[in-house]
Amino acid sequence: MSDEKPPQLVDYFVVAGLTDTSRPLEEENQQHRAARPSEPITDVAVIIRSQGEEVPHGFTCIETTTSGHPVDLNAGLLNNPQMFICYKRSRDKPPLIELGVHYEGKDRPKPGYKILDTTPYSRSANLNSGGPGHQRTFLTYRRAAEPHGHNTLGVTDICLIMPSKGESTPHTFCRVDKNLNTSMWGPALFLCYKIAMAKANTLVYEAGLLGRYPEQDSESFPLPDSVPVFCLPMGATIESWPADTKYPLPVFSTFVLTGASGDKVYGAAIQFHEAFPRERLSEKQSLRLGLLSVVDRRPVAGRSLQTRKSICVLSHWPFFDVFRKFLMFIYRYSISGPHVLPLETHISHFMHNVPFPSPQRPRILVQMSPYDNLLLCRPVSSPLPLSGASFLTLLQNLGPDNAVALLVAVLTEQKLLIHSLRPDVLTSVGEALVAMIFPLRWQCPYIPLCPLALADVLCAPVPFIVGIHSSYFDLYEPPRDVIFVDLDTNTIFQSEERKLLSPRSLPRRPCKVLLASLHSLSQQLDEMYSGPGEEASLELLLSDAEAARGRRAQLELEARAAFLRFMACALRGYRSFLRPIALAPAPAGRDTGSLFALQGFLKSRDRAYHRFYGQLLRTQLFTQFIEDCSFASDRDPCLEFFDTCVDKVQAELEKPEDTPLMELDDPRGGEHTVFITPPEQPAGPDGAELPARYRYDGFPTLRPELLEPPRDPLVAQLCQARSSAPSSPAPRRTKQEMKVAQRVAQKYSSVPDMWAKCLLGHCYGLWFLYLPTHVRAAPAKLRALQLAYEVLRKMEAHKVVLPDEVCYRILMQLCGQYGEPVLSVRVLLEMKRAGIVPNTITYGYYNKAVLESKWPAGTQGGRLRWAKLRNVVLGAAQFRQPLRQRERRATAAATPAGGRAAPAPRPSLQRQTTWAGRSLRDPPPAPRLVKSGSLSFPGGTHGEGSRGEPGEPPTTQTPPLPSAPHPLPPRLRGAPGSADGSLSDISFATDESDRADEGPVGAGGLPGGTPRRGLAAKLQQLLSPGKRSPLRPAASTELPAGPRDAAVCPRRGSEQRDGEPPPRRSPAETLLRPRERPESTASESSVSLGSELDLSDTSVGSTGVPKSAEPPADGATGQEPPAVEVLLSSCSRCQGCGALVYDEEVMAGWTSDDSNLNTTCPFCGRSFVPFLSIEIQDFQLPPSTAEDGSLPPPAAQGPVLSDRRRCLALDEAEPELCNGYPDTAVPRRSERVAFAYLSPLVLRKELESLVENEGGEFLAQPELVDSHPIIYWNLVWYFQRLGLPSNLPRLLLGSQHVAPAPQTQSPETPCVRIRLLWDVLAPEPDSSPPLYVLWRLHSNVPTRLRSWRPHGHPFSLAFLEAVLSHVGLSEVHKAIALFLETLAAPGGPRHLQRSIYREILFLTLAALGRDHMDIAAFDKKYKSAYNKLAGSLGKEELRRRRAQPPSSKAIDCRKSFGATLEC
């Protein structure tokens, strides 16, 4: 898989301004422009007309309100002084920027404000001069600082309003909330004023593109043509200023561009002015700018000409603060100088050599110059969508109440127009408005900073959220059906045509909690930024800036969590109203009504809020939300996080929950910082510095030859992030699923039985992560998918604790990938039956599978008619069964035991088998030896693959079967059926009574036949044509029967109900009989793993190659040994005390931390890393012959009963017991390796990372063995331990551990056999043999390890027999006491590696055999004996001498994973 390109910090650098093709904006819309003042207000005054005062020269008197009512300030008084307010416009002094009202004796004078206490005629300007007892009231004002810029904001209009007359604050006006009339008489009167930029002599044009870098468009993101108008939203201007006017500071603004797919691109720009040449102006333009006199057209002196430009960066990441610093540095660089390096060098250096921060390098420190640097930090890790929102800016500009009112407006899809004189605030607030409704997503037009050139969008007949500069209202008449939000005055203006729902229509308790949280945050903001005085603010800005940023980030998170909690409470329970698609989808299958029960959801809400919910359900917001929840999309992780929030919140509470919905992940917490140096200055020929020759009069035109390519391409790869492989179907858990799994593991780590099931659930999760690779390699995809479905059913039946829904999700996506929608529906039903509600991700993959897959035809054609006819024939055959059985019993009673009168009729049975599992056109299977797990086990026939002497029962304790006189023809031996794992016996339950009814004939006379399945199962298969398995069996999904024979022995006992009951045999007699030796296929365990979770009637071992022949009874293989045999053991030695810790004890010592490799020693309590010991034996040699040069004849398999020693050896060599191992061929090559034994939690995390980085196909490549051996061997161990199919063992043939196969070998795939051992692979040099090995040595039974040699130990045969005698008499305490006495005697072993419990357990297993040993009962007896001895010796002493029993957690782990590993 090719690595994807790392994220790029900046995509484009753009220069925008006035071009030759720019069209004017004001002329086109001259008819829409309202009259606006050309000069700001510079003075205010109060006059008293009753005293004879007149309006001063140049002043304007306010005599009426906005609706025409007289505004005499003291109209209610008897001695009415007739006071009025006047104002003056001019440009000869700085304008007023704020007005106020001062109550003397009640208010403190504000710094910077001046009190207007006298009239122009030196009389008192007290606005309430009714007498000495009235409140003295004065006007106050604040003036702009000197010198002021041409674009300084100022008061441009003043008015008075009377609320009692129905008057309200005019749009875009600020209201002073202090009554001018404080007397008891007269109406209340309030002062309002408007702040704007009063520009004169200005021409406005549409902005164009002046320069860009890079010149070529990127394939993934071409530069939009509309970028220049967003850089200069109010247009590119030409302005005429007085000559002494100060240049204004650059204005920073941000904007958002939304693509067709919903992807956001963030822009950051600064606007500045620079000189413009007069020569480029026409006469008409000069007249409009006041540069020529109107009469004689002479040039006007004392004027300068300026134009407005902008520089901008575009990025997919909202690093607005970083971009502002970079743009300001570039701007200052352009107006200073001279410089050694050109401006283009710094631009290309920032774009190419500054990497994107990653988890490994979360901090990027960029040094742009000796005095300028910026810190780039990784975005806060959050499950919410990336956004440039600032909820604190929203609260600061609107307040809590208005914020909730806007929440109602957005949820009901109103037309919102946000305006402000500060363009940088518009984007932050607009982003907050669309982010506060998460998980809903705004679907209508959204332009947080709208240019004047695109102002026509305000007339659109659809809902929108648009932000615009407040100067828009000086140029255009606003629409009437729009809700205006003034961020400068903290007001919301609603027209009569468009009224908002009241916040009271929202759910009461969630809304109450939201308002309380916002009020608390607003109060904290005021305390943070206002402070008690200027000294505190200075300290905040200088010494505690970092803490202030952290505090602000925390408050931002709390504000977002408050809105998130409200949305979770408002939409709680919505998932129960989703309607899954369970049938072939109709053309309207994606309609909201078919995907969601709208009326049911509405009825589940309180009736008082039906109006709000009724409007919400009809919006595009909710429609898209239901589609996102129903189908797989890129928003699935976000929606899954929202589901977890819904589960956390309690809507009935009137306060937030104690558990936070969101946690702050500070990206600055990392210690790794990448330092980016400034561009290197070139040196002269002699090493001297070059002269500074780059100086700019204005921002230059970018020169391509000066834009350098990246010098160090490795810098961009420091923080390279690789994305998930597209070929892997949803293998990666979301962060929320990981957190939930971690919490579940922590919870269950202290509960013994649940901890074992938790580990088991993660093991199955590992297999389902591997499942796509397994299905991809399987010849029959449907059979592999149905096998996975059966695994799910068995997991649910045994109450396995699944930490997440990945198992179901992967299977659902595979069903969609391979066109099996019916199976996907069955998986969903299994989830619901297990009580699991699918989350958004799983639900999306399910609906995608059922919608995009081809459903089976629903017409009842000839296929169904043939199925009905087949059912009739099978039904008739079932009715004839009792007659046939009666005939067989009569024949068996009349026929001597040595032979049969007539064989049972076979054609009908063969025909059934053909219908069930094979096509009539298929060639007959190759001759093969049948397994003992099959119901057609040939009793007493040496040449047909029997595993013991005639008449002796196999391991499953099936009664002896009469031997057939002649072997059956090959065509009947290998008939497919349950013996070879046919899926027809896996997908449907088998009727065991049918198998039992076949009696001795079905079991003994027909060794190659397939057992008859139940009629109900056949009817289910035949009536469901779409669910039938393919006709040709797939080898890769076979279920070998050998390793799990012990799991089905109670069921097989019913096969001989119609025959003679077998005589009971004592355990001593059983010890003298050789037991069957199950043989494996490729990657099939040769032992019975004995898992409590038996996944089928036969073993679920991994397959993929033809099965090998059955082994001969003398212990040697009946054919060539496997090409490679692998022995694995998880028994590890504690480094602290030297004790051997076995598999179940290792599992019990693991922790819930998915990054911790250690386990805890049960003896000394220390932590250590357990290891998987692996021994790889390579047998790849040409076929070897026996000593006499010929292979043993088939009839010579197995010893005779008189050879008691060989029988005993074979009995002891049973793989289910301990350490018996016959002589085998010597491997050509043997290698031992050891790797860390990982907990399933750790292994799953590593496997997910591997699949994410390398892709799912890597799990099918032999390079996995050598490049990731820890993951590979742990997967092999767990899959083999649970009997789950995989092709992993076959990868070993292509690794460095196995030599290439000789050319003389057969072209068939070599066989790999995996054996899982309980004990160590090799003994320690100074350790004495364990008791079970001594038992075999005393009995002259060969052991697997020939390196065991008798040492000077006190464990004689009499000692071993005494221990066994005590155990057999249920006197385990005496066996423990005897063991302790022997150890304490002189000459005893110094170091006891195995605990006394382990020694006695293994000895008992070796002596009695697994079939005659109940480990659970032994554990109870041992625990009782331990408690009995603890009363006399003490538990501490017993622990010191390693006599304690295993913990309950270890016992549960052994019970869940299986105890019968081979030693």
Side-chain angles (χ1 to χ4, degrees):
M1 185 190 71
S2 60
D3 296 339
E4 293 189 1
K5 189 178 180 180
Q8 190 172 354
L9 181 62
V10 176
D11 294 292
Y12 292 100
F13 181 88
V14 174
V15 182
L18 184 66
T19 63
D20 296 335
T21 59
S22 297
R23 60 184 180 88
L25 292 178
E26 288 190 330
E27 290 182 359
E28 294 181 355
N29 303 284
Q30 189 73 25
Q31 66 275 14
H32 300 292
R33 185 178 65 183
R36 61 174 181 174
S38 60
E39 295 178 339
I41 295 176
T42 56
D43 289 292
V44 291
V46 176
I47 61 172
I48 307 175
R49 285 187 173 177
S50 61
Q51 299 292 335
E53 297 182 358
E54 300 291 337
V55 178
H57 178 71
F59 279 73
T60 302
C61 181
I62 305 176
E63 298 182 355
T64 61
T65 64
T66 55
S67 59
H69 298 282
V71 292
D72 186 0
L73 299 181
N74 295 312
L77 299 178
L78 295 178
N79 54 344
N80 185 1
Q82 299 181 2
M83 303 183 69
F84 295 89
I85 297 177
C86 306
Y87 61 88
K88 178 184 178 181
R89 299 181 184 274
S90 68
R91 289 189 179 273
D92 56 355
K93 62 174 66 174
L96 303 182
I97 58 176
E98 196 168 356
L99 297 176
V101 176
H102 176 71
Y103 293 157
E104 187 177 287
K106 186 176 181 180
D107 298 335
R108 291 183 178 181
K110 295 182 180 179
Y113 281 77
K114 184 176 181 180
I115 299 177
L116 187 64
D117 53 356
T118 61
T119 66
Y121 300 92
S122 301
R123 293 185 177 93
S124 175
N126 178 18
L127 300 178
N128 195 5
S129 57
H134 292 82
Q135 177 74 55
R136 291 170 58 86
T137 305
F138 298 94
L139 285 181
T140 62
Y141 61 88
R142 187 162 63 96
R143 192 180 300 275
E146 290 274 5
H148 65 283
H150 183 72
N151 291 334
T152 303
L153 293 176
V155 176
T156 59
D157 205 354
I158 300 176
C159 69
L160 297 174
I161 62 172
M162 291 183 184
S164 61
K165 301 295 184 179
E167 298 176 350
S168 60
T169 306
H171 186 219
T172 70
F173 276 67
C174 299
R175 170 176 162 173
V176 180
D177 288 327
K178 288 186 178 181
N179 187 6
L180 296 178
N181 187 4
T182 59
S183 64
M184 299 177 60
W185 297 275
L189 196 63
F190 292 93
L191 176 68
C192 300
Y193 62 94
K194 179 180 180 180
I195 298 179
M197 283 184 287
K199 293 184 179 180
N201 304 323
T202 301
L203 300 179
V204 183
Y205 295 86
E206 183 178 351
L209 184 65
L210 295 178
R212 55 172 284 183
Y213 179 73
E215 293 289 339
Q216 294 79 21
D217 284 344
S218 171
E219 295 181 1
S220 59
F221 172 50
L223 180 66
D225 297 333
S226 60
V227 169
V229 298
F230 281 94
C231 296
L232 292 169
M234 299 306 296
T237 60
I238 303 176
E239 304 174 10
S240 174
W241 297 355
D244 57 347
T245 302
K246 178 185 176 183
Y247 270 91
L249 294 176
V251 177
F252 177 70
S253 64
T254 58
F255 57 89
V256 179
L257 302 178
T258 306
S261 60
D263 296 336
K264 289 184 178 181
V265 177
Y266 299 93
I270 60 170
Q271 306 170 27
F272 54 91
H273 291 82
E274 63 180 33
F276 189 81
R278 288 195 178 191
E279 299 79 28
R280 296 181 57 182
L281 295 178
S282 64
E283 183 178 355
K284 180 180 179 180
Q285 290 174 328
S286 298
L287 284 173
R288 293 188 60 185
L289 290 174
L291 300 177
L292 295 177
S293 61
V294 178
V295 178
D296 52 3
R297 307 297 172 92
R298 293 182 179 181
V300 177
R303 306 293 294 182
S304 64
L305 198 60
Q306 309 293 330
T307 184
R308 185 162 52 183
K309 278 188 178 181
S310 175
I311 55 176
C312 165
V313 291
L314 292 181
S315 174
H316 285 80
W317 308 94
F319 294 116
F320 292 144
D321 291 339
V322 173
F323 296 151
R324 180 179 57 82
K325 293 181 180 179
F326 168 69
L327 292 174
M328 291 299 296
F329 167 75
I330 294 296
Y331 170 72
R332 290 195 304 268
Y333 197 88
S334 66
I335 61 176
S336 61
H339 305 286
V340 177
L341 293 176
L343 182 70
E344 290 85 348
T345 301
H346 289 276
I347 296 175
S348 56
H349 172 75
F350 183 81
M351 294 185 64
H352 291 301
N353 295 335
V354 177
F356 188 84
S358 70
Q360 294 78 22
R361 306 290 197 281
R363 298 159 58 97
I364 309 295
L365 181 60
V366 183
Q367 192 73 31
M368 296 180 291
S369 73
Y371 309 102
D372 299 275
N373 57 41
L374 57 87
L375 182 63
L376 181 63
C377 297
R378 182 172 61 93
V380 175
S381 178
S382 172
L384 300 181
L386 187 66
S387 171
S390 175
F391 288 88
L392 298 186
T393 304
L394 175 69
L395 286 178
Q396 287 174 322
N397 288 275
L398 289 176
D401 296 326
N402 284 338
V404 174
L406 287 182
L407 175 64
V408 178
V410 177
L411 288 176
T412 54
E413 287 187 347
Q414 305 295 326
K415 294 183 178 181
L416 290 180
L417 178 60
I418 313 165
H419 61 90
S420 173
L421 295 170
R422 299 161 293 167
D424 57 324
V425 176
L426 291 173
T427 301
S428 300
V429 174
E431 287 282 276
L433 289 180
V434 298
M436 67 167 59
I437 61 173
F438 176 84
L440 306 182
R441 184 168 51 172
W442 184 258
Q443 299 296 310
C444 303
Y446 167 64
I447 310 175
L449 180 59
C450 181
L452 288 180
L454 303 178
D456 292 341
V457 72
L458 299 180
C459 301
V462 296
F464 56 76
I465 297 178
V466 173
I468 202 165
H469 196 278
S470 294
S471 300
Y472 162 84
F473 300 99
D474 297 333
L475 303 173
Y476 298 91
E477 289 292 337
R480 294 184 178 182
D481 59 343
V482 177
I483 298 174
F484 301 96
V485 182
D486 192 346
L487 300 181
D488 298 324
T489 62
N490 188 13
T491 51
I492 299 178
F493 298 90
Q494 304 181 44
S495 63
E496 295 296 332
E497 301 177 5
R498 181 79 61 169
K499 284 293 185 179
L500 274 175
L501 283 179
S502 170
R504 294 183 178 181
S505 61
L506 298 176
R508 185 182 66 85
R509 287 175 178 169
C511 183
K512 182 178 180 181
V513 174
L514 174 62
L515 274 173
S517 301
L518 296 182
H519 278 288
S520 175
L521 292 171
S522 180
Q523 182 178 358
Q524 296 181 54
L525 281 175
D526 293 341
E527 295 175 356
M528 177 185 299
Y529 288 100
S530 61
E534 294 184 3
E535 294 80 4
S537 300
L538 181 63
E539 180 183 358
L540 173 68
L541 295 175
L542 297 180
S543 63
D544 206 15
E546 187 70 23
R549 283 194 295 267
R551 178 61 179 161
R552 184 176 178 87
Q554 180 64 36
L555 294 179
E556 184 78 29
L557 186 72
E558 293 178 7
R560 190 159 195 173
F563 285 102
L564 177 61
R565 184 192 182 277
F566 172 81
M567 294 301 301
C569 293
L571 298 177
R572 72 186 190 282
Y574 79 96
R575 297 209 63 83
S576 58
F577 297 95
L578 291 172
R579 293 175 174 173
I581 303 174
L583 299 175
R590 300 179 74 99
D591 182 66
T592 306
S594 62
L595 299 175
F596 189 79
L598 295 173
Q599 293 301 320
F601 178 78
L602 187 61
K603 292 179 181 179
S604 66
R605 311 291 118 169
D606 194 332
R607 184 177 295 273
Y609 314 124
H610 275 198
R611 185 182 178 189
F612 163 72
Y613 280 107
Q615 293 191 25
L616 176 63
L617 297 183
R618 291 192 297 268
T619 59
Q620 300 179 54
L621 293 170
F622 195 80
T623 300
Q624 185 62 40
F625 171 67
I626 295 303
E627 291 188 7
D628 291 341
C629 293
S630 301
F631 307 104
S633 67
D634 55 351
R635 300 189 70 227
D636 286 345
C638 300
L639 297 178
E640 194 271 339
F641 164 72
F642 179 73
D643 290 343
T644 61
C645 295
V646 172
D647 296 337
K648 291 180 181 178
V649 298
Q650 300 178 20
E652 298 78 12
L653 297 180
E654 295 190 358
K655 63 178 182 178
E657 292 76 14
D658 296 334
T659 304
L661 297 182
M662 300 176 61
E663 297 178 359
L664 182 62
D665 182 15
D666 188 4
R668 301 175 182 85
E671 298 179 357
H672 300 283
T673 301
V674 176
F675 181 75
I676 305 299
T677 58
E680 296 181 2
Q681 296 185 359
D686 54 352
E689 294 184 1
L690 293 179
R693 57 190 182 94
Y694 292 100
R695 187 182 185 90
Y696 308 100
D697 295 332
F699 199 88
T701 302
L702 299 181
R703 298 166 57 184
E705 65 272 12
L706 298 180
L707 293 165
E708 299 179 357
R711 299 190 315 268
D712 189 4
L714 296 178
V715 175
Q717 301 177 6
L718 286 175
C719 310
Q720 191 175 57
R722 307 171 78 175
S723 62
S724 180
S727 59
S728 304
R732 186 75 174 176
R733 292 176 292 174
T734 63
K735 291 185 177 180
Q736 294 304 313
E737 287 179 323
M738 292 181 181
K739 292 180 180 179
V740 171
Q742 190 73 13
R743 288 196 295 267
V744 170
Q746 292 176 354
K747 176 182 177 181
Y748 290 156
S749 60
S750 58
V751 184
D753 56 336
M754 300 306 296
W755 173 246
K757 292 183 179 181
C758 179
L759 293 179
L760 198 61
H762 280 279
C763 289
Y764 282 111
L766 292 170
W767 185 74
F768 275 92
L769 286 178
Y770 172 77
L771 182 62
T773 305
H774 181 70
V775 175
R776 194 181 303 115
K781 314 298 183 184
L782 176 58
R783 296 180 66 187
L785 294 177
Q786 288 178 329
L787 173 61
Y789 172 69
E790 289 300 320
V791 173
L792 277 180
R793 292 186 59 189
K794 296 297 181 180
M795 291 162 52
E796 296 164 5
H798 292 86
K799 307 299 181 184
V800 175
V801 177
L802 292 177
D804 46 56
E805 302 173 15
V806 172
C807 301
Y808 299 96
R809 188 185 311 155
I810 291 179
L811 185 53
M812 285 179 178
Q813 185 169 359
L814 289 175
C815 291
Q817 182 178 349
Y818 294 104
E820 293 297 330
V822 177
L823 185 58
S824 184
V825 175
R826 295 170 66 188
V827 174
L828 180 66
L829 294 178
E830 287 297 327
M831 286 190 69
K832 293 188 175 180
R833 191 175 295 114
I836 302 175
V837 179
N839 61 16
T840 302
I841 305 177
T842 307
Y843 195 77
Y845 280 116
Y846 164 76
N847 279 330
K848 182 179 180 181
V850 298
L851 276 179
E852 298 181 358
S853 302
K854 183 178 180 181
W855 283 70
T859 58
Q860 298 183 1
R863 185 175 184 180
L864 183 58
R865 296 188 182 96
W866 278 110
K868 291 181 178 179
L869 178 60
R870 185 185 308 172
N871 295 341
V872 172
V873 175
L874 290 175
Q878 292 291 334
F879 280 110
R880 295 177 60 184
Q881 273 297 105
L883 299 177
R884 291 184 178 180
Q885 292 173 1
R886 186 180 305 171
E887 181 182 353
R888 290 170 189 160
R889 286 195 292 268
T891 304
T895 304
R900 293 177 182 263
R906 181 63 180 172
S908 62
L909 208 61
Q910 178 65 28
R911 184 163 56 251
Q912 283 184 2
T913 301
T914 303
W915 289 345
R918 294 181 60 86
S919 170
L920 293 173
R921 295 190 296 255
D922 290 346
R928 47 176 286 182
L929 299 178
V930 298
K931 302 182 293 292
S932 62
S934 172
L935 291 177
S936 56
F937 178 74
T941 305
H942 296 171
E944 295 301 322
S946 77
R947 303 187 182 186
E949 285 295 317
E952 90 176 350
T955 305
T956 55
Q957 299 183 7
T958 304
L961 305 176
S963 60
H966 301 287
L968 289 176
R971 67 181 181 86
L972 294 181
R973 296 181 196 168
S978 64
D980 62 349
S982 173
L983 197 62
S984 59
D985 282 341
I986 301 172
S987 301
F988 306 102
T990 303
D991 190 350
E992 296 298 337
S993 62
D994 261 357
R995 298 184 177 184
D997 290 343
E998 292 186 8
V1001 178
L1006 301 174
T1010 302
R1012 184 186 303 270
R1013 291 178 298 159
L1015 178 61
K1018 284 186 174 294
L1019 292 177
Q1020 182 180 1
Q1021 180 188 15
L1022 297 175
L1023 289 177
S1024 304
K1027 302 178 183 178
R1028 295 177 58 195
S1029 59
L1031 297 177
R1032 294 183 179 273
S1036 65
T1037 56
E1038 281 188 352
L1039 301 183
R1044 294 292 180 137
D1045 286 342
V1048 294
C1049 60
R1051 193 175 299 169
R1052 295 179 183 170
S1054 62
E1055 297 177 11
Q1056 297 295 330
R1057 287 184 296 182
D1058 297 330
E1060 294 294 331
R1064 295 181 60 86
R1065 292 177 173 84
S1066 65
E1069 294 177 357
T1070 308
L1071 286 173
L1072 299 179
R1073 293 195 309 275
R1075 292 174 173 80
E1076 68 170 358
R1077 173 95 178 207
E1079 192 68 26
S1080 69
T1081 61
S1083 75
E1084 177 187 353
S1085 175
S1086 63
V1087 299
S1088 174
L1089 301 182
S1091 173
E1092 294 293 330
L1093 300 181
D1094 186 16
L1095 298 183
S1096 66
D1097 290 345
T1098 57
S1099 165
V1100 191
S1102 82
T1103 58
V1105 296
K1107 285 185 176 295
S1108 58
E1110 301 296 336
D1114 60 356
T1117 55
Q1119 59 177 11
E1120 289 302 317
V1124 177
E1125 184 175 65
V1126 181
L1127 309 179
L1128 288 93
S1129 173
S1130 62
C1131 182
S1132 303
R1133 183 173 179 269
C1134 174
Q1135 302 298 323
C1137 59
L1140 291 179
V1141 183
Y1142 288 84
D1143 190 63
E1144 59 269 26
E1145 297 168 336
V1146 171
M1147 292 182 178
W1150 277 327
T1151 65
S1152 59
D1153 185 3
D1154 58 4
S1155 300
N1156 191 356
L1157 305 184
N1158 293 324
T1159 187
T1160 303
C1161 176
F1163 305 104
C1164 64
R1166 297 182 182 178
S1167 298
F1168 71 98
V1169 178
F1171 282 88
L1172 271 180
S1173 302
I1174 304 110
E1175 182 175 345
I1176 306 170
Q1177 299 178 355
D1178 189 358
F1179 294 93
Q1180 295 188 93
L1181 289 175
S1184 58
T1185 58
E1187 295 180 359
D1188 56 353
S1190 62
L1191 292 173
Q1197 298 179 6
V1200 296
L1201 285 176
S1202 59
D1203 193 350
R1204 182 167 181 251
R1205 180 182 178 279
R1206 294 190 65 190
C1207 290
L1208 180 61
L1210 282 176
D1211 177 67
E1212 297 295 343
E1214 180 184 2
E1216 296 178 357
L1217 302 182
C1218 294
N1219 222 352
Y1221 192 77
D1223 294 335
T1224 57
V1226 178
R1228 185 182 68 170
R1229 179 183 178 186
S1230 180
E1231 180 184 4
R1232 285 182 180 172
V1233 292
F1235 299 101
Y1237 182 25
L1238 303 183
S1239 161
L1241 284 76
V1242 179
L1243 181 59
R1244 184 170 185 180
K1245 181 180 178 182
E1246 296 298 325
L1247 181 61
E1248 288 172 340
S1249 177
L1250 175 65
V1251 173
E1252 180 185 16
N1253 295 330
E1254 303 291 346
E1257 298 87 350
F1258 189 72
L1259 299 180
Q1261 299 176 5
E1263 290 80 5
L1264 175 67
V1265 184
D1266 300 327
S1267 58
H1268 301 278
I1270 298 179
I1271 296 178
Y1272 171 78
W1273 288 113
N1274 277 273
L1275 289 178
V1276 170
W1277 170 267
Y1278 284 118
F1279 293 172
Q1280 206 66 37
R1281 186 75 193 270
L1282 298 177
L1284 297 172
S1286 74
N1287 294 321
L1288 290 177
R1290 191 186 300 177
L1291 303 182
L1292 190 63
L1293 298 174
S1295 68
Q1296 62 182 2
H1297 300 289
V1298 177
Q1303 298 180 357
T1304 57
Q1305 210 168 15
S1306 62
E1308 297 182 359
T1309 305
C1311 174
V1312 179
R1313 178 164 56 191
I1314 306 294
R1315 298 174 60 197
L1316 306 185
L1317 307 184
W1318 206 346
D1319 208 349
V1320 293
L1321 291 180
E1324 294 290 337
D1326 298 333
S1327 62
S1328 59
L1331 299 187
Y1332 72 91
V1333 174
L1334 293 177
W1335 173 263
R1336 298 189 183 281
L1337 293 177
H1338 286 303
S1339 303
N1340 296 324
V1341 176
T1343 61
R1344 179 179 60 82
L1345 295 175
R1346 296 168 177 80
S1347 58
W1348 288 116
R1349 295 186 301 273
H1351 292 268
H1353 56 78
F1355 305 129
S1356 60
L1357 180 60
F1359 169 79
L1360 302 179
E1361 292 176 346
V1363 171
L1364 291 173
S1365 176
H1366 290 313
V1367 174
L1369 296 175
S1370 299
E1371 298 175 344
V1372 182
H1373 63 284
K1374 293 184 179 180
I1376 299 175
L1378 178 62
F1379 204 109
L1380 293 175
E1381 293 176 4
T1382 308
L1383 290 176
R1390 297 180 180 178
H1391 303 289
L1392 185 65
Q1393 285 189 318
R1394 295 163 184 81
S1395 64
I1396 296 179
Y1397 164 83
R1398 196 69 56 177
E1399 291 279 14
I1400 297 178
L1401 174 64
F1402 285 178
L1403 175 62
T1404 309
L1405 284 173
L1408 299 182
R1410 178 65 181 88
D1411 293 336
H1412 307 288
M1413 174 72 177
D1414 187 352
I1415 298 183
F1418 175 81
D1419 290 339
K1420 293 180 180 178
K1421 294 178 182 178
Y1422 192 92
K1423 186 176 181 179
S1424 176
Y1426 172 78
N1427 294 331
K1428 188 174 183 179
L1429 291 175
S1432 57
L1433 299 179
K1435 290 188 177 181
E1436 291 299 328
E1437 178 64 19
L1438 292 177
R1439 287 180 59 86
R1440 187 184 66 81
R1441 304 176 70 174
R1442 298 178 185 171
Q1444 74 271 24
S1447 63
S1448 57
K1449 185 183 290 188
I1451 293 176
D1452 286 314
C1453 290
R1454 183 173 62 194
K1455 179 181 178 182
S1456 297
F1457 282 82
T1460 53
L1461 297 178
E1462 180 185 357
C1463 293

